[in-house]
């Protein structure tokens, strides 16, 4: 049996309707921005394997750090114990995060980072004896697939089977240029009419919605409104964190600071699953008490896994090198040139760039759904041409590893241009 046949026999894949989907491609090897399948066909990984892999596949620097940690201390429980790798990650993050972020809580993936933030927002007010049970989120947000994260997510087919089983979430529109006031007014009204505990948002770029971008000034205003009303703000930087937007965090563009931040995806350079939720001292203090019931009763078996911490430290080191920062600027410049070239194409609705993130919306005669027919056609075309891209409906986006070469990037652009002609 081939790997593909065995896969069909045993495995259940994420976000996959197995009856209508093609059999998954078996990847046997990766290096830099490239992947090879079991038949040695080469692919350019133009989405950094779901946005986790900025420094390239099989990165030796991170691998060495992991090996060293594995042969020193692979894991120890974090309840009642601590270790140097966790402390070093915390020290490093506190140095590079917005200055009000003072406490670091580890978990395992983006969804759990969000789950922790939402639970903390709710318990913060519970601990203070205040009844605040509503979470505010953007329309079309994506915050993950565990229950509270799913409740905050607004992409309907991810969540429709579970409607009526969620915590209270009220949605506001993402600020649109020229019509920002609609979003501000909506937030004020929601705060007036509900007992709001927190507002969770993807800062500047809504990834899963199709790299939808909005202005930092509008986000600053929304955060300011929350602050005036004592509503906690949660910046979900699971996708945007660690350089994707051109700065270390998307929040570095925003003049207001959030109360909490969620990090994962690129945290360990795509090696070991790990996530972090960060907090202000004020939030930590609301749980600090003689009463054990006020503690945060949340944890995961692999919390602060030392091997994951070693991978995170190596990744942040790589991110901070001049070479990596130059790569980020190079890709951004290249994206802007490509954007200029194709935005006037008759079949293009709009194109946009922030940092290493590029997206183009292609005209369609029909309403394009998330996993609709145009998406399937585009996806298959890219795969046939040896490029890994996962369009969202009629939106094609690129989020390359920062080490992608100019030549590889040009091939991705050229294939996107061909795809636009094809559909
Ligand atoms: C991917 C993502 C998540 C969920 O992360 P997982 O590791 O897939 O659970 C949460 N928030 C945002 C913004 C994401 O892009």
């Amino acid at each position: 049996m081939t790997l593909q046949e065995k896969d069909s026999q045993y495995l259940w894949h994420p976000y996959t309707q197995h009856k209508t989907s093609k059999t998954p491609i078996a990847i046997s090897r990766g290096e830099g921005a490239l992947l090879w399948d079991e038949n040695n066909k080469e692919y350019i990984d133009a989405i950094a394997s779901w946005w986790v892999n900025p420094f390239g596949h099989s990165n030796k620097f991170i691998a060495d750090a992991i090996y060293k940690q594995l042969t020193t201390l692979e894991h120890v429980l974090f309840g009642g114990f601590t270790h140097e790798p966790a402390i070093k990650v915390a020290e490093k993050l506190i140095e590079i995060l917005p200055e009000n972020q003072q406490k670091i809580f580890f978990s395992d993936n983006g969804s759990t980072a969000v789950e922790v933030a939402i639970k903390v927002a709710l318990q913060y007010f519970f601990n203070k004896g205040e009844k605040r049970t509503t979470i505010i989120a953007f329309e079309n947000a994506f915050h993950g697939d565990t229950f509270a994260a799913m409740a905050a997510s607004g992409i309907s087919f991810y969540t429709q089977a579970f409607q009526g089983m969620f915590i209270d979430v009220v949605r506001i529109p993402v600020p649109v240029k020229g019509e920002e006031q609609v979003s501000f007014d909506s937030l004020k009204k929601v705060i007036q009419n509900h007992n709001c505990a927190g507002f969770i948002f993807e800062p500047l770029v809504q990834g899963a919605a199709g790299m939808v971008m909005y202005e930092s000034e509008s986000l600053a205003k929304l955060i300011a409104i929350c602050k005036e009303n004592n509503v906690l703000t949660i910046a979900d930087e699971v996708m945007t964190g660690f350089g994707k937007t051109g700065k270390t965090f998307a929040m570095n563009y925003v003049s207001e600071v959030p109360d909490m931040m969620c990090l994962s995806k690129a945290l360990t350079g795509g090696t070991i699953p790990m996530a972090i939720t960060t907090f202000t001292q004020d939030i930590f203090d609301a749980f600090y008490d003689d009463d054990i019931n006020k503690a945060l009763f949340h944890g995961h078996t692999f919390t602060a896994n030392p091997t994951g911490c070693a991978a995170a430290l190596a990744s942040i080191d790589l991110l901070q090198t001049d070479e990596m920062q130059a790569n980020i600027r190079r890709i951004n410049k290249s994206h802007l040139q490509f954007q200029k070239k194709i935005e006037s194409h008759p079949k293009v609705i709009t194109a946009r760039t922030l940092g290493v993130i590029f997206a183009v919306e292609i005209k369609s005669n029909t309403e394009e759904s998330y996993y609709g027919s145009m998406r399937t056609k585009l996806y298959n075309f890219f795969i046939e041409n040896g490029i890994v891209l996962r369009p969202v409906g009629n939106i094609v986006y690129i989020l390359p590893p920062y080490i992608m070469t100019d030549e590889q990037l040009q091939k991705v652009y050229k294939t996107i241009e061909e795809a636009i002609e094809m559909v």
Side-chain angles (χ1 to χ4, degrees), residues 144-294:
D145 292 337
T146 53
F147 248 81
M150 199 169 40
S153 297
I155 299 171
S156 63
F157 61 82
Y158 279 85
T159 59
Q160 65 189 6
F162 311 102
Q163 290 303 328
M165 305 172 206
F166 290 137
I167 57 163
D168 295 335
V169 172
V170 181
R171 260 168 237 297
I172 63 166
V174 175
V176 174
K177 213 169 181 170
E179 294 161 35
E180 295 87 351
Q181 198 59 42
V182 177
S183 186
F184 305 156
D185 290 345
S186 173
L187 177 61
K188 286 180 196 158
K189 208 168 138 203
V190 167
I191 293 174
Q192 253 169 30
N193 295 335
H194 301 266
N195 297 317
C196 295
F199 168 40
I200 184 164
F201 51 87
E202 294 160 89
L204 307 192
V205 190
Q206 289 187 297
M211 302 297 160
V212 172
M213 297 179 188
Y214 62 98
E215 305 285 322
S216 58
E217 292 79 10
S218 308
L219 180 55
K221 174 76 184 169
L222 291 169
I223 294 174
I225 294 169
C226 287
K227 291 229 158 109
E228 283 161 24
N229 292 282
N230 198 22
V231 172
L232 297 173
T233 51
I234 305 165
D236 178 357
E237 293 237 21
V238 168
M239 188 282 282
T240 49
F242 303 103
K244 312 262 181 56
T245 64
K247 298 201 182 202
T248 305
F249 301 106
M251 287 310 295
N252 296 139
Y253 287 98
V254 183
S255 58
E256 296 279 346
V257 286
D259 295 298
M260 303 179 224
M261 287 173 73
C262 305
L263 309 172
S264 187
K265 294 212 164 107
L267 172 64
T268 63
T271 56
I272 292 180
M274 178 165 225
I276 286 173
T277 314
T278 72
F279 304 98
T280 59
Q281 186 67 41
D282 172 60
I283 290 178
F284 182 80
D285 290 347
F287 291 72
Y288 189 81
D289 202 278
D290 291 323
D291 182 358
I292 189 166
N293 291 309
K294 290 198 172 171

